Amino acid sequence: MKDVGRHPRIKLMTLSEVEDVSGYVGNFNVKVRRKARYVREADCTACGECATVCPVNKYNEYEVGLATRNAIYIPFPQSIPSSYVINMADCLSKDVITCNKCVEKCQKRCIDFDMRDEIVELKVGAVVVATGMDVYDPTRLDEYGYTRFQNVVTSLELERLINAGGPTGGHLVRPGDTKAPKRIGFIQCVGSRSHNRGNPYCSNICCMVTIKNSLLIKEHYPDTEITVFYIDIRAFGKGFEDLYERSKREGVRYVRGLPEHIEEDPSTGSLRLKVENTTAGCIEEHELDMVVLAVGLEARKDGDKIRHLLSLSQTSDGFLAESHPKLMPVDAPTRGVFLAGCVESPKDIKDSVTQASAAAARAGVILSSDKIKLDAAIAVVDKEKCTFCELCVQVCPYSAISASKQNKIAAHVTEAMCAGCGSCAAECAFGAISLRHFEDAQYMAQIEAALAENPQDTAIVFACNWCSYAAADLTGTSRLQYPPNIRIIRTMCSARVNEKFVMQAFKLGAPVVLVSGCHLADCHYMAANRSTVKRMDRLWSRLERLGIRPERLQLEWMSAAEGQKFARVMAELDERRSKVTPEEIEQTRKALEAADKKKVA
Amino acid sequence: MTPTEKQSKLKCMRCGHEYTTSDDLIKVERACPKCRSNSVRRVGEKK
């Protein structure tokens, strides 16, 4: 932190909030609100005299409520800049200066109640999002009595209790009576790995935090009996298994099973719990002096703001999604934005530092180059045809298109922001937008070629480049068999499949058509395949209105690893194809031609 | 079962199975509970 604070080319803006981000890779404009500190950073020497006279006592966030702080305080001992700050919401001089004790005490005269928030505008080439995570709030899972029993603490509270710089000076005491606990129980997976309560994912760090804390306690208080209640111990990092084995050698007992609830003996403050030891196959009762809940990590509650500002996407667990889990693990889907740390997924310090280093290096690539190479496949607007309807603006997952219906301003694509999914081209009913190298005419030609011979024996499959098409590849390389009369047409995204492609295939005699893409949460273009979902609903309704069986149009999501699913879906599609009669195909053709004529008239 | 408030009626385009769900139909991947197909169509208006 100090190195960052002192670095001549790093501008550290603490107590600041990003209010707006506009622009694109290499040209971001960031608006930052620098909140008033009410203490001049440059003058404050952090002597702490001001805090000694402050009469206010408030919840100390850093000490997770195990200590109090004043209204003027230093957030934590190593904070950078090393300067005090006034929380004006807590200060007695909030509206009218009534107290003024800190001002009188400060010899350097660095307290300034007239300080106001200021807006700073920055021009940056790349953005690294490292906004961290929240800790699971165990009050939501109260069978462990966190809100009722003082001697039930979270792993974060225990961290402070055993820290030499913590409120007890590193002496482990239980909060109920400040006595040293002799029997401590750790309950794992609190708020993690549960579909019913808390979060369904593993929080990654809790097992090792518990093992580390159990060893620390054993080192300082060797007589303490420690029991860990767990589902699985996940010690998968470098040296982690050794640490786990060491804790067992030190006498930490591991019981496979989670207690159902905790009861307290009010006279002693001891805690009783019953657990099914699934390894031994028996019910055990434990009496403990203190219970530590190994709480999990979750996405920040205020994370949506930064997500919207930077047009990022999130996974179902609420963390921000990376561009590609294997090939671009630190790149956000928006070009020029990178992710580091727990904002992407729960991870430990080592992994966070690794990811941050990678993100900095990736950002450095952009900053060190004069020009940025873009993919050739990007959207192009024919302004003559644009009717300013703004539909393209609404479907673009990257906010790369601007247009105004009100001011009659034709659509404009910011090329550096366009990723080339083609949602806009598929959505535009007037053919005003096309995707370079994946144009409508090219698709129409492919459909025509695929159905040139024996169309009644052919099934048309639109497969997205990243998942379904890769699944087809896997099917081939795995030597899995699927019917030879399937014709695959590659699109960059399933959202590129225009309604007219499907209608053209039916018009040319295709018995069945399948649209396939990445699983909904895995879309390579953030959430572009949600446009596919909406379009499919529209297409099914339209087919029905035209008297065409909607069942002839199918939709399947498959990942690049689902070669077997691809083969199975193709076999089923062919079976469905075989049931479509030549009469039905002819009837479809006539219905579509009549609809076309009606449209022209 | 008739669709109640916030529930949507869906029909599988593969096996014909009809069911209701309270899931967000755009954000949550639709899959037929009977045959696991994703060809699931929303039928009727969302109440």
Side-chain angles (χ1 to χ4, degrees), chain A residues 38 54-61 68-73 85-96 98-99 102 113:
Chain A
Y38 302 103
C54 179
V56 177
N57 279 310
K58 289 284 175 183
Y59 178 94
N60 187 329
E61 296 83 358
T68 58
R69 61 159 176 80
N70 305 105
I72 186 163
Y73 65 107
V85 57
I86 297 176
N87 186 334
M88 202 41 85
D90 301 334
C91 183
L92 296 178
S93 303
K94 184 165 53 174
D95 301 317
V96 185
T98 51
C99 168
C102 54
F113 281 111

Side-chain angles (χ1 to χ4, degrees), chain A residues 519 537 544 555-556 572, chain B residues 14 29-30 37-39 41:
Chain A
H519 283 284
D537 272 332
E544 200 166 52
L555 171 72
E556 286 298 335
E572 285 166 1
Chain B
R14 184 168 152 224
E29 190 168 303
R30 300 180 203 174
S37 169
N38 301 123
S39 298
R41 183 189 168 198

